[in-house]
Amino acid sequence: MLYLTEPEQLGELLPNEPRYRTDQLRDWLYLTPVLSAQDMSNLPKPLRDHIEPDLWPFTVDIEQSADSGQTVKWLFRCTDGSPIESVLMGYANRTTLCISSQVGCAMGCTFCATGQFGFDRHLDAGEIVAQVTYANAYLAATPMPHSPERVTNIVFMGMGEPLANYAHTIESIRRMIDVMGMSARSITVSTVGFVPGMRKLINEPWPLNLAVSLHSTIPSERSKLVPINDRYPIDDVIDAAEAYYVAKGRRISLEWTLISGENDSDTEAVGLARIARKIKAHVNVIALNPTPLSTDRPPDHDHVRRFIGTLKREGANVTLRDTRGQDIDAACGQLRLRAQTRRPETDTKPNGAP
Ligand code: SAH
Ligand code: SF4
C-alpha cells in the first residue's frame, strides 16, 4: 500500500518507527527508487522485509525493449489483475515516459486499442506515479547509455483519458512536482478534448503542457473517430485549449493520428492549419499504428509527406512524431491486447521477440 498512501501520510504505515525513518522511506519511494526493498540500504533488515511485498502496487507482466535498449515497454499487473502500460523512450537529452491514467478508456475512439476495450476503472494516484518511480528504479539499475538516467519528461499518452480521472491525475502530478522535484514544463497531459477537465486544469497552479487530440476538423467526421465529440464539440474543445494557452502561456499541441482515407485530405490539412494558427498551437502528426480490431491503416509515406507539406504551406508549426517502439506494439493499449491474445510459448521471450 506504499504508493497508495499519500507521501505525507507514510508515517501512519510505520507507527512504531521514528520520524526520520518515514523520511528515509519517502526518499526511497520518490527520490531514489530501487526495484527491491532489499536495496534500501539505510533501513533495517526487518523493515525492508516488511516493506518488500507492498513496495510496488503492481507486478511486471511483460517487459520488452527495442531500438537497442532505447525503448522499454512494460505491461504491469495491479493487485486486482488490471493491466497498466508504460513506455520509456530514451533520447540524447531527455528520457520520456508515456504513462497510463485509467484501465481501459470510456471514450471509444475507433482507431485506438484502448478505446476498443472499453473502460474498466480509474487508476489511483499511486498507481499512476509508481509507473514513473518504477521507470526511475529501472534506469538506476539499467541505465540507457545515451540518455539521462532519470525520467525527465512525462506524457499522459498511455491508456486512458487523464482528465476523466481528474482527481487522481492531479494528485499524481502533485507528487511528481512537489515530492519528486520534476518540472511542470516537462509534464504533458494529453486529452481527447474532455472540456470540463481542460477548464479545471486552468485553475491548477502549474504550467503543464496540454496536448489535445483533434484527429478531424469536420464535426461529423470527428464524431465518427472520436465519439465524445458529440458531447464536447470541437469548437468548445478549441475554445478551452485557447483559454488554457492564454492563461498559462504554454503552447498547446494538437495531436493528429493520420488514418488513410479518414482524415488525410488536403481539406483536413487546411482546416487543421487554420486552427493551429488561430490558437498558436503546435501540430504533432503521427501515422496510425494499426490495431487488430480495426481495418484502419496509415497512409503511405508519400501521402504523409504531402499532408505535412500542406500544413506547413498553410503556416502551421508541425512535427511528424516517430513511431518509436512500433515493433513492440508501443501504441496505446496494444501490449495489453497482445497479452490477451498471445500464445503461451511467446510469453517469456525477451527483447520484443514476436
Ligand atoms: N486519452 C488521451 C491520452 C491517451 S491516447 C488522448 O486521447 O489524448 C494518446 C494519443 O495516442 C492520442 O493522441 C491518441 O489519438 C493516440 N493514439 C491512440 N491510438 C493510436 C494508434 N493506434 N496509432 C497512433 N496513435 C494512437
Ligand atoms: Fe481513450 Fe485516448 Fe484511446 Fe480515445 S485515443 S479511446 S481518449 S485513450
Side-chain angles (χ1 to χ4, degrees):
M1 292 298 122
L2 292 171
Y3 284 103
L4 303 187
T5 302
E6 282 190 27
E8 294 77 10
Q9 311 300 327
L10 280 171
E12 292 171 10
L13 301 179
L14 307 177
N16 303 319
E17 298 284 349
R19 168 72 199 269
Y20 70 88
R21 284 270 180 254
T22 311
D23 294 343
Q24 287 172 329
L25 177 60
R26 190 170 53 242
D27 287 356
W28 284 119
L29 292 180
Y30 289 95
L31 292 184
T32 50
V34 279
L35 292 174
S36 161
Q38 297 309 327
D39 295 329
M40 298 180 173
S41 48
N42 57 3
L43 301 187
K45 175 87 168 89
L47 184 55
R48 286 184 251 161
D49 292 343
H50 175 69
I51 287 170
E52 187 76 277
D54 285 337
L55 174 53
W56 299 105
F58 41 61
T59 54
V60 178
D61 195 357
I62 303 179
E63 177 180 293
Q64 293 183 333
S65 66
D67 305 319
S68 310
Q70 293 296 105
T71 304
V72 183
K73 173 125 186 172
W74 289 283
L75 183 72
F76 300 112
R77 283 278 160 205
C78 299
T79 41
D80 67 352
S82 297
I84 306 181
E85 291 190 30
S86 316
V87 186
L88 185 65
M89 291 158 284
Y91 301 91
N93 49 15
R94 66 184 200 281
T95 302
T96 299
L97 185 70
C98 174
I99 59 175
S100 297
S101 56
Q102 298 179 314
V103 183
C105 183
M107 303 297 143
C109 304
T110 50
F111 53 86
C112 169
T114 305
Q116 291 160 3
F117 266 104
F119 175 72
D120 284 349
R121 71 167 171 90
H122 294 306
L123 289 179
D124 180 89
E127 292 170 322
I128 300 173
V129 77
Q131 297 168 62
V132 186
T133 58
Y134 189 91
N136 277 333
Y138 171 90
L139 284 169
T142 321
M144 291 177 171
H146 310 295
S147 306
E149 290 178 14
R150 287 183 77 77
V151 174
T152 59
N153 294 69
I154 303 283
V155 292
F156 279 82
M157 292 191 184
M159 296 194 303
E161 168 50 46
L163 297 182
N165 182 16
Y166 194 83
H168 288 134
T169 294
I170 291 300
E171 168 59 13
S172 74
I173 291 171
R174 182 191 76 79
R175 293 188 206 177
M176 291 171 209
I177 295 171
D178 290 353
V179 187
M180 297 170 65
M182 295 190 75
S183 156
R185 291 181 169 76
S186 67
I187 300 174
T188 300
V189 174
S190 179
T191 180
V192 70
F194 199 79
V195 172
M198 294 169 73
R199 295 264 172 207
K200 273 204 257 177
L201 207 58
I202 295 173
N203 298 321
E204 300 296 344
W206 316 292
L208 300 163
N209 300 314
L210 184 62
V212 178
S213 299
L214 219 53
H215 307 314
S216 177
T217 60
I218 304 162
S220 57
E221 294 299 317
R222 187 167 192 263
S223 288
K224 279 191 222 157
L225 298 173
V226 179
I228 195 74
N229 188 66
D230 289 340
R231 189 148 136 223
Y232 303 118
I234 181 165
D235 288 348
D236 295 355
V237 173
I238 293 162
D239 284 351
E242 186 170 26
Y244 188 89
Y245 170 66
V246 169
K248 302 285 185 185
R250 301 295 291 163
R251 215 168 256 269
I252 301 292
S253 305
L254 299 176
E255 306 292 313
W256 194 278
T257 297
L258 210 45
I259 307 170
S260 180
E262 297 280 354
N263 62 359
D264 58 350
S265 65
D266 286 349
T267 311
E268 286 278 29
V270 170
L272 173 56
R274 191 183 309 123
I275 293 169
R277 284 196 318 266
K278 175 170 182 282
I279 65 168
K280 299 186 174 58
H282 188 94
V283 177
N284 279 319
V285 174
I286 185 166
L288 176 79
N289 202 339
T291 60
L293 297 184
S294 158
T295 53
D296 287 337
R297 289 292 170 266
D300 63 31
H301 189 71
D302 286 350
H303 200 106
V304 173
R305 294 249 66 95
R306 180 193 162 109
F307 191 84
I308 301 276
T310 308
L311 280 172
K312 286 186 175 160
R313 214 173 38 250
E314 294 290 323
N317 286 309
V318 53
T319 308
L320 177 62
R321 273 184 20 207
D322 65 0
T323 43
R324 192 62 104 78
Q326 204 163 46
D327 52 334
I328 53 169
D329 298 334
C332 198
Q334 293 200 24
L335 199 68
R336 171 191 183 188
L337 201 66
R338 170 187 295 204
Q340 293 197 346
T341 55
R342 67 193 167 185
R343 299 190 308 275
E345 68 269 27
T346 63
D347 287 3
T348 52
K349 282 188 190 168
N351 298 329

